Amino acid sequence: MRESGDFASASVPRHLARGAVGFGSLAASVLLIPLTGPVSLLLAPVGLLALHGCPLCWTVGLAQTLSRGRLRRSCEDGRCELTVARGPAQKEVRDRAAART
C-alpha cells in the first residue's frame, strides 16, 4: 500500500514509462475522436490511471522519484526537518563528481 501523498515510482525509467502511457492515452483519446468517434474517449481513464490521477500528480511523483534517497525528512514534536541524506548513495555521487574533475 502506498503512503498518503506519495506519487513516486520505484525508478525513474518506470515513472517515465508511466508518463508516456498516461500522456499518450490522454492525447490519443482526444485526437482519435474524428476517426473513431466518442469510443476513443475510453482511453482517457487509462491515461488518468497511468498518471495516478492527473498530469500534476505525475509531475509531483517525478520530483519525488528524483529526490528519493537524496533527502531525508524527520518529524519530532510536530516540527519537521528536511536534510540531505548521508549514506552510500551520497558517497557514490561525491566520488563520481571527484572523478570528473
Side-chain angles (χ1 to χ4, degrees):
M1 194 81 188
R2 97 184 3 216
E3 183 182 317
S4 176
D6 186 17
F7 296 102
S9 294
S11 68
V12 174
R14 183 178 291 180
H15 197 83
L16 294 176
R18 269 192 30 235
V21 169
F23 288 114
S25 295
L26 287 176
S29 72
V30 174
L31 296 174
L32 291 175
I33 289 176
L35 297 174
T36 62
V39 174
S40 68
L41 294 177
L42 294 173
L43 287 173
V46 172
L48 293 175
L49 214 118
L51 295 175
H52 286 209
C54 64
L56 183 58
C57 298
W58 181 85
T59 306
V60 168
L62 179 61
Q64 288 177 344
T65 302
L66 291 172
S67 71
R68 182 161 281 166
R70 294 188 180 114
L71 300 175
R72 183 167 292 144
R73 181 177 65 180
S74 60
C75 297
E76 293 179 17
D77 300 326
R79 184 171 166 243
C80 295
E81 292 183 2
L82 192 62
T83 57
V84 175
R86 301 284 183 216
Q90 288 300 319
K91 184 179 183 308
E92 184 180 321
V93 169
R94 283 192 304 261
D95 292 345
R96 276 193 224 154
R100 283 188 223 153
T101 57

